[in-house]
């Protein structure tokens, strides 16, 4: 009892300082126009940027959570912290079980690679794991990270909690009437169905495995292109996990605590949390921790029954049990009134690979009489062989219908995989016929090609072109990146047949080829063709470039005749050497001159 009271005192002292710091951080980063309703839920006037966090689309269904705050001592154990039960308890509160800690850090590493702009810290996963399940019930997990026993939250039957009727036929939570939050990160089945991940590489997505659950939580927190290094986005992400200001402040307090440092403890030795947000949520109903018996109240043994009521007047002093009043019938929710879904004027869903779809899927929820139903969750799911995603990189998006009963899905971002796929619209929490929408991704295209250089290429017959041909592709005036291009040396402007003479390319074996396929522009829409060579034929030739989308460019190639070589002298045409003797220069042999008579 003394230890328990001491812990309460420590908690009371910590609450003011920690909660004040958390609220101060929240206030500093709160978006303009933010409001808090009577349930502690926050919203902003910017509906396009704020997460939509109704109970049946939050990670946990806004299930109960642990409200224990961090201890006042340092998260790193001190040799002088003392020994015995008190020291062990402080170490257990501050430490994180080894396997659980490893799962958080692995999830952070994966998200750093997959979604680097999210800046997810593993300490945030640890803070949420602490608040949701006390670090998997103190690290009671097997070697592969699976909880020794399933961790289940209370059934969400609307009696003191959110009302979420069964969405998984009991596959995850064993409950075929209502959903329950499952596993160390407390995902409700309808959220796990799309958010679940395989974190330990065993080929399964198990919400009771800490590696799978931690990775799923990381992806969940990183959707909508949130940057968790920014206070505003961090707040939105945490509130989307469980939409409560108290929850936000509790998670922020543990996040700050773990950021100051923590340490690893053996699996199964972590301290079990005590206080839960549902301690007073349901009068007459004893709250229970996920998958456990209710914790003992001070001065009352665990599992004890309520004491009989005092004797009522006139009953002879016999104890009597007051009658149990059944809870009132739950009124129908807007979801209960939905009879069918209708298309709300969605146009043709077509986009080029790598581009954003101009049209957005729009669905209307209606009653049997055709009246609009507002405040209904519509889940849009991408189905088929496609790498297209919604804005933010997710394949599932959930949107609440507006006053006209219409829910508009986030914009679709086409991937590189071309072809048809479907967007399926369905009501969350109710089995009514959904609405499929056909969407198509076409190949990247260009509508114009231009020669990058100012001069047309020239070459001497039998030689090679000094400069490669460079072109730029554009689409509607913008650079057309990753567009397929075909290059062919055609016979003439009017004859697209492949030429059999003139310039040519070389294949991998060095053989002449006059047509190339599989060429593709770079991210800036530019393409440099392989080197061109010329045979012995002089003249003017055409290189025709075509792209997906119909862009065509003819490049003129000029091959000049080779220079004529200097002629060698022909010996047969040279004059014959003279055979006459050379005149003598000896005076004695010269004839004498006879004087004239």
């Amino acid at each position: 009892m003394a230890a328990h009271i001491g812990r309460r005192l420590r908690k009371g002292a910590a609450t003011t300082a920690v909660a004040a710091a958390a609220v101060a951080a929240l206030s500093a980063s709160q978006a303009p126009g933010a409001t808090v309703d009577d349930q502690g839920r926050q919203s902003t006037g910017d509906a396009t940027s704020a997460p939509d966090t109704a109970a049946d689309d939050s990670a946990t269904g806004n299930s109960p959570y642990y409200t224990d705050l961090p201890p006042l001592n340092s998260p790193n154990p001190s040799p002088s912290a003392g020994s015995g039960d008190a020291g062990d308890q402080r170490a257990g509160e501050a430490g994180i079980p080894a396997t659980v800690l490893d799962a958080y850090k692995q999830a952070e590493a994966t998200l750093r690679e997959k979604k680097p702009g999210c800046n997810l810290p593993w300490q945030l996963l640890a803070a949420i794991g602490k608040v949701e399940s006390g670090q998997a019930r103190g690290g009671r997990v097997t070697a592969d990270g699976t909880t020794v026993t399933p961790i289940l939250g209370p059934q969400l039957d609307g009696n003191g909690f959110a009302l979420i009727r069964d969405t998984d036929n009991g596959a995850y939570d064993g409950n075929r009437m209502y959903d329950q939050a499952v596993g160390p990160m407390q995902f409700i089945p309808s959220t796990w169905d799309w958010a679940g991940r395989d974190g330990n590489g065993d080929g399964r997505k198990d919400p009771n495995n800490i590696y799978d659950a931690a990775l799923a939580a990381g992806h969940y927190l990183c959707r909508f292109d949130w940057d968790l290094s920014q206070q505003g986005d961090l707040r939105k992400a945490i509130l989307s996990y469980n939409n409560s200001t108290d929850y936000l402040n509790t998670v922020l307090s543990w996040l700050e605590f773990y950021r100051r440092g923590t340490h690893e403890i053996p699996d199964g030795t972590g301290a079990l949390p005590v206080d839960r947000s549902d301690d007073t949520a349901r009068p007459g109903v004893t709250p229970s921790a996920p998958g456990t018996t209710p914790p003992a109240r001070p001065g009352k043994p665990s599992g004890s029954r309520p004491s009989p009521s005092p004797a009522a007047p006139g009953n002879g002093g016999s104890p009597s049990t007051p009658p149990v009043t059944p809870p009132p019938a739950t009124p129908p929710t807007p979801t209960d009134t939905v009879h069918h879904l209708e298309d709300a004027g969605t146009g043709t869903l077509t986009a080029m690979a790598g581009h954003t779809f101009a049209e957005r899927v729009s669905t209307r929820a209606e009653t049997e009489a055709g009246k609009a139903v507002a405040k209904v969750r519509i889940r849009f799911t991408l189905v088929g062989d496609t790498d297209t995603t919604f804005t933010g990189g997710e394949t599932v998006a959930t949107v609440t219908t507006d006053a006209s009963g219409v829910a508009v899905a986030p914009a679709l971002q086409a991937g590189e995989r071309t072809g048809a796929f479907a967007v399926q619209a369905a009501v969350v929490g109710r089995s009514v016929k959904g609405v499929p929408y056909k969407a198509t991704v076409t190949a990247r295209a260009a509508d114009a090609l231009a020669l990058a250089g100012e001069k047309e290429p020239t070459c001497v017959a039998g030689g090679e072109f000094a400069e490669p041909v460079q072109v730029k592709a554009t689409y509607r005036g913008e650079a057309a990146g990753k567009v397929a291009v075909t290059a062919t040396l055609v016979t003439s402007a009017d004859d697209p047949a492949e030429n059999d003479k003139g310039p040519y390319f070389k294949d991998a074996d060095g053989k002449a080829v006059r047509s190339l396929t599989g060429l593709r522009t770079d991210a800036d829409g530019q393409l440099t063709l392989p080197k061109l060579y010329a045979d012995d034929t002089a003249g003017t030739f055409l290189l025709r470039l075509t792209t997906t989308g119909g862009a065509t460019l003819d490049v003129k190639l000029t091959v000049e005749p080779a220079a004529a070589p200097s002629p060698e002298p022909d010996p047969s045409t040279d004059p014959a050497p003279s055979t006459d003797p050379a005149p003598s220069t000896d005076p004695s042999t010269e004839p004498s001159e006879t004087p004239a008579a």
Side-chain angles (χ1 to χ4, degrees):
M1 176 68 73
H4 187 81
I5 294 174
R7 185 181 180 283
R8 292 280 185 175
L9 290 175
R10 290 199 308 275
K11 178 181 176 181
T15 300
T16 302
V18 176
V23 172
L26 173 65
S27 301
S29 63
Q30 195 160 353
T35 59
V36 180
D37 65 15
D38 58 356
Q39 301 299 319
R41 298 184 178 93
Q42 293 196 352
S43 62
T44 68
D46 183 2
T48 61
S49 61
D52 196 354
T53 52
D56 53 0
D57 194 50
S58 67
T60 68
N62 296 335
S63 293
Y65 56 92
Y66 289 108
T67 58
D68 300 54
L69 289 172
L72 293 177
N73 56 292
S74 168
N76 292 307
S78 169
S80 60
S83 59
D85 293 341
D88 292 342
Q89 183 180 9
R90 286 195 297 271
E93 288 175 337
I96 299 177
T99 299
V100 178
L101 180 60
D102 182 60
Y104 296 149
K105 291 186 176 181
Q106 282 199 30
E108 179 197 54
T110 300
L111 269 298
R112 189 184 304 121
E113 176 185 353
K114 299 293 185 181
K115 296 184 178 180
C118 178
N119 295 306
L120 170 77
W122 67 260
Q123 292 91 341
L124 176 58
L125 296 176
I128 291 177
K130 181 69 174 182
V131 170
E132 293 296 346
S133 68
Q135 310 297 18
R137 304 300 294 153
R140 287 159 177 78
V141 295
T142 60
D144 70 346
T146 303
T147 57
V148 175
T149 57
I151 301 177
L152 296 174
Q155 67 178 16
L156 301 174
D157 56 7
N159 187 14
F161 305 119
L163 173 60
I164 305 179
R165 292 187 172 88
D166 176 55
T167 61
D168 66 330
N169 199 29
Y172 294 117
D173 54 15
N175 190 335
R176 296 187 178 184
M177 293 187 64
Y178 302 98
D179 273 352
Q180 294 176 248
V182 183
M185 303 304 280
Q186 289 288 277
F187 279 96
I188 56 173
S190 59
T191 302
W192 182 262
D193 190 52
W194 63 266
R197 296 293 194 278
D198 176 15
N200 62 353
D202 64 356
R204 300 192 308 127
K205 300 175 183 178
D206 182 3
N208 288 299
N209 183 281
I210 185 59
Y211 287 98
D212 295 358
L215 183 58
H219 276 280
Y220 186 91
L221 294 165
C222 287
R223 71 200 194 288
F224 301 129
D225 286 334
W226 281 330
D227 179 358
L228 302 185
S229 66
Q230 302 296 319
Q231 280 295 106
D233 284 356
L234 175 64
R235 177 186 63 81
K236 293 176 185 177
I238 297 173
L239 286 173
S240 78
Y241 211 90
N242 191 313
N243 195 18
S244 159
T245 304
D246 289 340
Y247 179 87
L248 170 69
N249 292 339
T250 305
V251 170
L252 287 175
S253 67
W254 281 105
L255 171 60
E256 179 62 25
F257 178 76
Y258 288 135
R259 275 177 166 166
R260 294 201 305 269
T262 187
H263 59 282
E264 178 184 298
I265 59 175
D267 289 345
T269 64
L272 297 180
V274 174
D275 300 308
R276 288 174 58 80
S277 61
D278 60 337
D279 280 351
T280 58
R282 306 173 76 180
V285 179
T286 303
S288 61
T292 67
T293 57
R297 298 294 185 201
K300 189 178 295 184
S302 175
S304 61
R305 298 177 62 83
S307 300
S309 61
N315 66 358
S318 299
S320 62
T321 302
V324 177
T325 303
T330 304
T333 65
T335 300
D336 296 330
T337 67
V338 177
H339 178 266
H340 60 273
L341 296 179
E342 293 285 347
D343 174 41
T346 305
T348 302
L349 296 171
T350 302
M352 188 187 303
H355 289 242
T356 301
F357 281 71
E359 285 287 329
R360 294 167 68 177
V361 178
S362 182
T363 302
R364 175 181 162 95
E366 297 182 354
T367 64
E368 187 174 6
K371 293 184 178 180
V373 185
K375 299 181 180 180
V376 173
R377 309 288 293 170
I378 306 298
R379 175 164 293 132
F380 299 95
T381 305
L382 304 188
V383 181
D385 184 17
T386 182
D387 56 354
T388 296
T389 64
F390 291 109
T391 302
E394 298 295 340
T395 58
V396 176
T398 306
V399 181
T400 302
T401 57
D402 59 18
S404 62
V406 174
V408 181
L412 288 166
Q413 179 66 41
E416 295 301 324
R417 196 171 302 161
T418 59
F421 64 97
V423 182
Q424 184 73 31
V427 178
V428 176
R430 184 169 173 79
S431 297
V432 299
K433 186 178 180 180
V435 179
Y437 296 84
K438 182 181 177 181
T440 304
V441 176
T442 61
R444 289 178 178 264
D447 56 16
L449 278 171
L451 190 65
E454 296 181 358
K455 297 181 179 180
E456 293 179 334
T458 59
C459 179
V460 176
E464 60 184 50
F465 288 81
E467 298 294 334
V469 175
Q470 293 180 318
V471 296
K472 182 169 184 177
T474 55
Y475 182 77
R476 296 180 180 177
E478 301 291 333
K482 301 180 181 180
V483 174
V485 179
T486 298
T488 304
L489 290 148
V490 297
T491 302
S492 68
D494 300 323
D495 185 357
E498 182 179 307
N499 208 337
D500 59 358
K501 59 184 177 180
Y504 60 91
F505 300 104
K506 287 184 179 181
D507 63 13
D509 298 325
K511 296 180 181 179
V513 292
R514 291 186 169 86
S515 183
L516 294 178
T517 59
L519 302 173
R520 196 170 293 273
T521 62
D522 62 17
D524 296 324
Q526 296 185 346
L527 171 66
T528 300
L529 272 65
K531 180 173 286 190
L532 277 164
Y533 302 85
D535 62 13
D536 295 334
T537 307
T540 299
F541 302 89
L542 284 182
L543 170 64
R544 178 162 293 173
L545 303 173
T546 58
T547 72
T548 306
T552 302
L553 174 66
D554 286 343
V555 180
K556 186 171 73 172
L557 305 176
T558 302
V559 179
E560 298 175 347
S566 300
E568 295 290 334
D570 187 353
S572 63
T573 60
D574 289 345
S578 175
T579 56
D580 294 338
S584 175
T585 58
D586 187 353
S588 62
T589 62
E590 291 292 327
S592 59
E593 293 185 1
T594 303

